Amino acid sequence: MLDISELSRESGFSPSKLRYYEEVGLIRSVGRRGLKRLYEDEVKTRISLISLAQTAGFSLGEIKETIGSEGRPELDRKVLAARADEIDVRIKELAALRDGLRHVMNCTAENHLDCPRFQRIIRVALTKKQVDAKRSKVYLGKR
Amino acid sequence: MLDISELSRESGFSPSKLRYYEEVGLIRSVGRRGLKRLYEDEVKTRISLISLAQTAGFSLGEIKETIGSEGRPELDRKVLAARADEIDVRIKELAALRDGLRHVMNCTAENHLDCPRFQRIIRVALTKKQVDAKRSKVYLGKR
DNA sequence: ATGCAACTTCAAGTCAACTTGACGTCAAGA
DNA sequence: TCTTGACGTCAAGTTGACTTGAAGTTGCAT
């Protein structure tokens, strides 16, 4: 059992952030000592997971949908599989971006955006997205 | 030469977003036809790059620092190298998260957060971050 | 028993990244 | 020529993810 400052220290999350996550249902405290929240150790893993999912570009809402908001996460295999696939796509995009940057570092072309090798690297990463964008009539790309 | 609606259609970015990016100096128009902006074809590659960098988790400010705001991007090899390294780290985190999700899908443990295999996967991804968090006295992890 | 640092709630503030709205302008087709 | 619709500017609004501040409460060391 941890109080909020211990959890904060061990997780690197500010107390206000922890309270906020609890408010939106991403974590929960299991009781109070007086007014003060008490957290189970388990919540640390949960916080790590949230942190990781955020760097993967998921919103708190998506994270909640994926790992559940209750004590025991109810997991929907389909959702998990879909998230894993999304991450795979993102990894490919990131790899392309990284390769593009590394290429530009060593490329002697005057204007790097004109370098065909660079453009190819970028284009490959975006192929799927472009297709999606075209498919939605105009630019209805909501975000 | 493209006007804003053509660029919008081809890039999947809303006109307001394009104007906003121009305002903050991420892209530029090369002139006007009447009042209307005209863009060079080159800007499409630039937009793709911006889009990619955003999914990699970089802010518009960081992107501007990295690829430059002027017509010809002035690139600092050190910055580029640093970004590429950051992306490598992020890719590792994402891979761990994906593996974690895929494991949970097939894991029969009652509570998945308690599954040691899952915890190990998550922990590995966060090792560096944790260390950083501890190093900064309290949770001064600004974000 | 008392003091006080560390907690609590709740409302409001902040920041990035855009979007929306009001209102004005222009170019091109009927 | 005149209308119309796609553009323009500028200020204000929105959303997500928190942080900050004010004002109150409480466990615990003295």
Side-chain angles (χ1 to χ4, degrees), chain B residues 73-97:
Chain B
E74 84 280 336
L75 27 67
D76 178 340
R77 273 150 217 278
K78 293 208 165 188
V79 173
L80 292 175
R83 296 302 192 213
D85 291 347
E86 282 178 56
I87 294 170
D88 271 331
V89 170
R90 214 154 301 183
I91 286 176
K92 289 205 181 89
E93 291 173 354
L94 263 57
L97 179 58

PDB file of all heavy atoms in Angstrom, chain B residues 73-97:
ATOM      1  N   PRO B  73      15.726  23.950 -46.222  1.00  0.00           N
ATOM      2  CA  PRO B  73      15.978  23.592 -44.829  1.00  0.00           C
ATOM      3  C   PRO B  73      17.474  23.611 -44.518  1.00  0.00           C
ATOM      4  O   PRO B  73      18.259  22.970 -45.197  1.00  0.00           O
ATOM      5  CB  PRO B  73      15.407  22.175 -44.727  1.00  0.00           C
ATOM      6  CG  PRO B  73      15.311  21.669 -46.129  1.00  0.00           C
ATOM      7  CD  PRO B  73      15.170  22.856 -47.006  1.00  0.00           C
ATOM      8  N   GLU B  74      17.817  24.358 -43.520  1.00  0.00           N
ATOM      9  CA  GLU B  74      19.198  24.329 -43.059  1.00  0.00           C
ATOM     10  C   GLU B  74      19.258  23.222 -42.014  1.00  0.00           C
ATOM     11  O   GLU B  74      18.494  23.211 -41.057  1.00  0.00           O
ATOM     12  CB  GLU B  74      19.593  25.677 -42.453  1.00  0.00           C
ATOM     13  CG  GLU B  74      19.243  25.932 -40.997  1.00  0.00           C
ATOM     14  CD  GLU B  74      17.779  26.332 -40.807  1.00  0.00           C
ATOM     15  OE1 GLU B  74      17.149  26.847 -41.749  1.00  0.00           O
ATOM     16  OE2 GLU B  74      17.287  26.133 -39.683  1.00  0.00           O
ATOM     17  N   LEU B  75      20.073  22.245 -42.228  1.00  0.00           N
ATOM     18  CA  LEU B  75      20.051  21.087 -41.334  1.00  0.00           C
ATOM     19  C   LEU B  75      21.323  20.998 -40.522  1.00  0.00           C
ATOM     20  O   LEU B  75      22.436  21.130 -41.020  1.00  0.00           O
ATOM     21  CB  LEU B  75      19.849  19.808 -42.144  1.00  0.00           C
ATOM     22  CG  LEU B  75      20.337  19.864 -43.586  1.00  0.00           C
ATOM     23  CD1 LEU B  75      21.822  19.988 -43.644  1.00  0.00           C
ATOM     24  CD2 LEU B  75      19.837  18.665 -44.332  1.00  0.00           C
ATOM     25  N   ASP B  76      21.132  20.790 -39.279  1.00  0.00           N
ATOM     26  CA  ASP B  76      22.249  20.625 -38.364  1.00  0.00           C
ATOM     27  C   ASP B  76      22.398  19.124 -38.116  1.00  0.00           C
ATOM     28  O   ASP B  76      21.540  18.475 -37.539  1.00  0.00           O
ATOM     29  CB  ASP B  76      21.912  21.357 -37.058  1.00  0.00           C
ATOM     30  CG  ASP B  76      23.012  21.193 -36.033  1.00  0.00           C
ATOM     31  OD1 ASP B  76      23.820  20.250 -36.158  1.00  0.00           O
ATOM     32  OD2 ASP B  76      23.053  22.010 -35.099  1.00  0.00           O
ATOM     33  N   ARG B  77      23.523  18.605 -38.586  1.00  0.00           N
ATOM     34  CA  ARG B  77      23.720  17.163 -38.491  1.00  0.00           C
ATOM     35  C   ARG B  77      23.566  16.638 -37.065  1.00  0.00           C
ATOM     36  O   ARG B  77      23.074  15.537 -36.832  1.00  0.00           O
ATOM     37  CB  ARG B  77      25.121  16.786 -39.000  1.00  0.00           C
ATOM     38  CG  ARG B  77      25.162  16.550 -40.497  1.00  0.00           C
ATOM     39  CD  ARG B  77      26.523  16.898 -41.109  1.00  0.00           C
ATOM     40  NE  ARG B  77      26.346  17.497 -42.425  1.00  0.00           N
ATOM     41  CZ  ARG B  77      26.144  16.779 -43.542  1.00  0.00           C
ATOM     42  NH1 ARG B  77      26.100  15.480 -43.479  1.00  0.00           N
ATOM     43  NH2 ARG B  77      25.982  17.387 -44.694  1.00  0.00           N
ATOM     44  N   LYS B  78      23.995  17.426 -36.118  1.00  0.00           N
ATOM     45  CA  LYS B  78      23.898  16.977 -34.722  1.00  0.00           C
ATOM     46  C   LYS B  78      22.444  16.812 -34.314  1.00  0.00           C
ATOM     47  O   LYS B  78      22.063  15.838 -33.667  1.00  0.00           O
ATOM     48  CB  LYS B  78      24.561  17.999 -33.793  1.00  0.00           C
ATOM     49  CG  LYS B  78      26.054  18.089 -33.995  1.00  0.00           C
ATOM     50  CD  LYS B  78      26.746  18.524 -32.703  1.00  0.00           C
ATOM     51  CE  LYS B  78      28.246  18.243 -32.804  1.00  0.00           C
ATOM     52  NZ  LYS B  78      28.934  18.453 -31.531  1.00  0.00           N
ATOM     53  N   VAL B  79      21.640  17.783 -34.695  1.00  0.00           N
ATOM     54  CA  VAL B  79      20.222  17.712 -34.360  1.00  0.00           C
ATOM     55  C   VAL B  79      19.587  16.504 -35.033  1.00  0.00           C
ATOM     56  O   VAL B  79      18.852  15.738 -34.409  1.00  0.00           O
ATOM     57  CB  VAL B  79      19.488  19.003 -34.798  1.00  0.00           C
ATOM     58  CG1 VAL B  79      17.983  18.857 -34.605  1.00  0.00           C
ATOM     59  CG2 VAL B  79      20.001  20.201 -34.002  1.00  0.00           C
ATOM     60  N   LEU B  80      19.911  16.327 -36.284  1.00  0.00           N
ATOM     61  CA  LEU B  80      19.347  15.196 -37.022  1.00  0.00           C
ATOM     62  C   LEU B  80      19.739  13.870 -36.371  1.00  0.00           C
ATOM     63  O   LEU B  80      18.906  12.978 -36.195  1.00  0.00           O
ATOM     64  CB  LEU B  80      19.824  15.216 -38.475  1.00  0.00           C
ATOM     65  CG  LEU B  80      19.298  16.365 -39.338  1.00  0.00           C
ATOM     66  CD1 LEU B  80      19.954  16.330 -40.716  1.00  0.00           C
ATOM     67  CD2 LEU B  80      17.789  16.302 -39.469  1.00  0.00           C
ATOM     68  N   ALA B  81      21.001  13.770 -36.009  1.00  0.00           N
ATOM     69  CA  ALA B  81      21.473  12.539 -35.386  1.00  0.00           C
ATOM     70  C   ALA B  81      20.756  12.293 -34.071  1.00  0.00           C
ATOM     71  O   ALA B  81      20.333  11.169 -33.761  1.00  0.00           O
ATOM     72  CB  ALA B  81      22.986  12.622 -35.155  1.00  0.00           C
ATOM     73  N   ALA B  82      20.571  13.366 -33.317  1.00  0.00           N
ATOM     74  CA  ALA B  82      19.896  13.229 -32.027  1.00  0.00           C
ATOM     75  C   ALA B  82      18.453  12.775 -32.222  1.00  0.00           C
ATOM     76  O   ALA B  82      17.956  11.892 -31.510  1.00  0.00           O
ATOM     77  CB  ALA B  82      19.935  14.564 -31.287  1.00  0.00           C
ATOM     78  N   ARG B  83      17.789  13.352 -33.200  1.00  0.00           N
ATOM     79  CA  ARG B  83      16.400  12.953 -33.474  1.00  0.00           C
ATOM     80  C   ARG B  83      16.337  11.495 -33.878  1.00  0.00           C
ATOM     81  O   ARG B  83      15.456  10.748 -33.437  1.00  0.00           O
ATOM     82  CB  ARG B  83      15.813  13.794 -34.605  1.00  0.00           C
ATOM     83  CG  ARG B  83      15.686  15.264 -34.324  1.00  0.00           C
ATOM     84  CD  ARG B  83      14.842  15.574 -33.134  1.00  0.00           C
ATOM     85  NE  ARG B  83      14.533  17.004 -33.082  1.00  0.00           N
ATOM     86  CZ  ARG B  83      14.379  17.698 -31.975  1.00  0.00           C
ATOM     87  NH1 ARG B  83      14.507  17.104 -30.801  1.00  0.00           N
ATOM     88  NH2 ARG B  83      14.084  18.976 -32.019  1.00  0.00           N
ATOM     89  N   ALA B  84      17.238  11.092 -34.731  1.00  0.00           N
ATOM     90  CA  ALA B  84      17.250   9.697 -35.186  1.00  0.00           C
ATOM     91  C   ALA B  84      17.433   8.758 -33.992  1.00  0.00           C
ATOM     92  O   ALA B  84      16.772   7.722 -33.898  1.00  0.00           O
ATOM     93  CB  ALA B  84      18.367   9.492 -36.214  1.00  0.00           C
ATOM     94  N   ASP B  85      18.295   9.164 -33.079  1.00  0.00           N
ATOM     95  CA  ASP B  85      18.516   8.327 -31.893  1.00  0.00           C
ATOM     96  C   ASP B  85      17.267   8.276 -31.018  1.00  0.00           C
ATOM     97  O   ASP B  85      16.911   7.226 -30.485  1.00  0.00           O
ATOM     98  CB  ASP B  85      19.703   8.861 -31.090  1.00  0.00           C
ATOM     99  CG  ASP B  85      21.026   8.652 -31.822  1.00  0.00           C
ATOM    100  OD1 ASP B  85      21.038   7.882 -32.810  1.00  0.00           O
ATOM    101  OD2 ASP B  85      22.032   9.245 -31.412  1.00  0.00           O
ATOM    102  N   GLU B  86      16.617   9.412 -30.882  1.00  0.00           N
ATOM    103  CA  GLU B  86      15.367   9.439 -30.111  1.00  0.00           C
ATOM    104  C   GLU B  86      14.351   8.480 -30.709  1.00  0.00           C
ATOM    105  O   GLU B  86      13.627   7.778 -29.996  1.00  0.00           O
ATOM    106  CB  GLU B  86      14.755  10.846 -30.130  1.00  0.00           C
ATOM    107  CG  GLU B  86      15.408  11.838 -29.189  1.00  0.00           C
ATOM    108  CD  GLU B  86      14.758  13.221 -29.333  1.00  0.00           C
ATOM    109  OE1 GLU B  86      13.527  13.318 -29.178  1.00  0.00           O
ATOM    110  OE2 GLU B  86      15.475  14.205 -29.613  1.00  0.00           O
ATOM    111  N   ILE B  87      14.302   8.478 -32.019  1.00  0.00           N
ATOM    112  CA  ILE B  87      13.336   7.614 -32.699  1.00  0.00           C
ATOM    113  C   ILE B  87      13.657   6.148 -32.447  1.00  0.00           C
ATOM    114  O   ILE B  87      12.767   5.331 -32.221  1.00  0.00           O
ATOM    115  CB  ILE B  87      13.296   7.922 -34.209  1.00  0.00           C
ATOM    116  CG1 ILE B  87      12.749   9.330 -34.429  1.00  0.00           C
ATOM    117  CG2 ILE B  87      12.419   6.917 -34.945  1.00  0.00           C
ATOM    118  CD1 ILE B  87      12.884   9.839 -35.850  1.00  0.00           C
ATOM    119  N   ASP B  88      14.948   5.849 -32.428  1.00  0.00           N
ATOM    120  CA  ASP B  88      15.333   4.467 -32.131  1.00  0.00           C
ATOM    121  C   ASP B  88      14.829   4.037 -30.768  1.00  0.00           C
ATOM    122  O   ASP B  88      14.308   2.936 -30.599  1.00  0.00           O
ATOM    123  CB  ASP B  88      16.862   4.333 -32.185  1.00  0.00           C
ATOM    124  CG  ASP B  88      17.343   3.990 -33.590  1.00  0.00           C
ATOM    125  OD1 ASP B  88      16.577   3.341 -34.326  1.00  0.00           O
ATOM    126  OD2 ASP B  88      18.474   4.360 -33.943  1.00  0.00           O
ATOM    127  N   VAL B  89      14.981   4.919 -29.797  1.00  0.00           N
ATOM    128  CA  VAL B  89      14.506   4.603 -28.456  1.00  0.00           C
ATOM    129  C   VAL B  89      12.990   4.369 -28.485  1.00  0.00           C
ATOM    130  O   VAL B  89      12.486   3.395 -27.930  1.00  0.00           O
ATOM    131  CB  VAL B  89      14.832   5.752 -27.477  1.00  0.00           C
ATOM    132  CG1 VAL B  89      14.123   5.551 -26.148  1.00  0.00           C
ATOM    133  CG2 VAL B  89      16.339   5.868 -27.289  1.00  0.00           C
ATOM    134  N   ARG B  90      12.305   5.255 -29.169  1.00  0.00           N
ATOM    135  CA  ARG B  90      10.853   5.156 -29.208  1.00  0.00           C
ATOM    136  C   ARG B  90      10.407   3.866 -29.893  1.00  0.00           C
ATOM    137  O   ARG B  90       9.440   3.236 -29.479  1.00  0.00           O
ATOM    138  CB  ARG B  90      10.283   6.387 -29.925  1.00  0.00           C
ATOM    139  CG  ARG B  90       8.955   6.800 -29.357  1.00  0.00           C
ATOM    140  CD  ARG B  90       8.651   8.271 -29.559  1.00  0.00           C
ATOM    141  NE  ARG B  90       9.645   9.160 -28.946  1.00  0.00           N
ATOM    142  CZ  ARG B  90       9.547  10.477 -28.944  1.00  0.00           C
ATOM    143  NH1 ARG B  90       8.520  11.063 -29.519  1.00  0.00           N
ATOM    144  NH2 ARG B  90      10.474  11.214 -28.365  1.00  0.00           N
ATOM    145  N   ILE B  91      11.126   3.488 -30.897  1.00  0.00           N
ATOM    146  CA  ILE B  91      10.781   2.239 -31.595  1.00  0.00           C
ATOM    147  C   ILE B  91      10.913   1.057 -30.632  1.00  0.00           C
ATOM    148  O   ILE B  91      10.063   0.162 -30.609  1.00  0.00           O
ATOM    149  CB  ILE B  91      11.684   2.032 -32.835  1.00  0.00           C
ATOM    150  CG1 ILE B  91      11.254   2.983 -33.946  1.00  0.00           C
ATOM    151  CG2 ILE B  91      11.622   0.589 -33.319  1.00  0.00           C
ATOM    152  CD1 ILE B  91      12.136   2.938 -35.193  1.00  0.00           C
ATOM    153  N   LYS B  92      11.939   1.079 -29.822  1.00  0.00           N
ATOM    154  CA  LYS B  92      12.107  -0.022 -28.870  1.00  0.00           C
ATOM    155  C   LYS B  92      10.958  -0.055 -27.879  1.00  0.00           C
ATOM    156  O   LYS B  92      10.442  -1.115 -27.535  1.00  0.00           O
ATOM    157  CB  LYS B  92      13.436   0.129 -28.127  1.00  0.00           C
ATOM    158  CG  LYS B  92      14.632  -0.152 -29.015  1.00  0.00           C
ATOM    159  CD  LYS B  92      15.856  -0.603 -28.216  1.00  0.00           C
ATOM    160  CE  LYS B  92      17.051  -0.850 -29.155  1.00  0.00           C
ATOM    161  NZ  LYS B  92      17.881   0.352 -29.378  1.00  0.00           N
ATOM    162  N   GLU B  93      10.550   1.115 -27.418  1.00  0.00           N
ATOM    163  CA  GLU B  93       9.426   1.168 -26.482  1.00  0.00           C
ATOM    164  C   GLU B  93       8.159   0.633 -27.131  1.00  0.00           C
ATOM    165  O   GLU B  93       7.407  -0.138 -26.528  1.00  0.00           O
ATOM    166  CB  GLU B  93       9.189   2.606 -26.021  1.00  0.00           C
ATOM    167  CG  GLU B  93      10.292   3.148 -25.123  1.00  0.00           C
ATOM    168  CD  GLU B  93      10.112   4.632 -24.833  1.00  0.00           C
ATOM    169  OE1 GLU B  93       9.205   5.270 -25.422  1.00  0.00           O
ATOM    170  OE2 GLU B  93      10.888   5.162 -24.018  1.00  0.00           O
ATOM    171  N   LEU B  94       7.935   1.062 -28.348  1.00  0.00           N
ATOM    172  CA  LEU B  94       6.735   0.624 -29.055  1.00  0.00           C
ATOM    173  C   LEU B  94       6.738  -0.878 -29.272  1.00  0.00           C
ATOM    174  O   LEU B  94       5.698  -1.533 -29.122  1.00  0.00           O
ATOM    175  CB  LEU B  94       6.631   1.344 -30.402  1.00  0.00           C
ATOM    176  CG  LEU B  94       5.738   2.557 -30.436  1.00  0.00           C
ATOM    177  CD1 LEU B  94       6.170   3.581 -29.421  1.00  0.00           C
ATOM    178  CD2 LEU B  94       5.723   3.165 -31.814  1.00  0.00           C
ATOM    179  N   ALA B  95       7.898  -1.409 -29.596  1.00  0.00           N
ATOM    180  CA  ALA B  95       7.979  -2.850 -29.826  1.00  0.00           C
ATOM    181  C   ALA B  95       7.643  -3.597 -28.534  1.00  0.00           C
ATOM    182  O   ALA B  95       6.933  -4.608 -28.549  1.00  0.00           O
ATOM    183  CB  ALA B  95       9.376  -3.214 -30.323  1.00  0.00           C
ATOM    184  N   ALA B  96       8.132  -3.072 -27.429  1.00  0.00           N
ATOM    185  CA  ALA B  96       7.847  -3.719 -26.145  1.00  0.00           C
ATOM    186  C   ALA B  96       6.356  -3.656 -25.831  1.00  0.00           C
ATOM    187  O   ALA B  96       5.762  -4.639 -25.382  1.00  0.00           O
ATOM    188  CB  ALA B  96       8.655  -3.040 -25.039  1.00  0.00           C
ATOM    189  N   LEU B  97       5.778  -2.506 -26.067  1.00  0.00           N
ATOM    190  CA  LEU B  97       4.356  -2.354 -25.804  1.00  0.00           C
ATOM    191  C   LEU B  97       3.543  -3.326 -26.657  1.00  0.00           C
ATOM    192  O   LEU B  97       2.647  -4.022 -26.172  1.00  0.00           O
ATOM    193  CB  LEU B  97       3.936  -0.914 -26.114  1.00  0.00           C
ATOM    194  CG  LEU B  97       2.462  -0.583 -25.914  1.00  0.00           C
ATOM    195  CD1 LEU B  97       2.027  -0.851 -24.490  1.00  0.00           C
ATOM    196  CD2 LEU B  97       2.197   0.870 -26.289  1.00  0.00           C
TER     197      LEU B  97
END
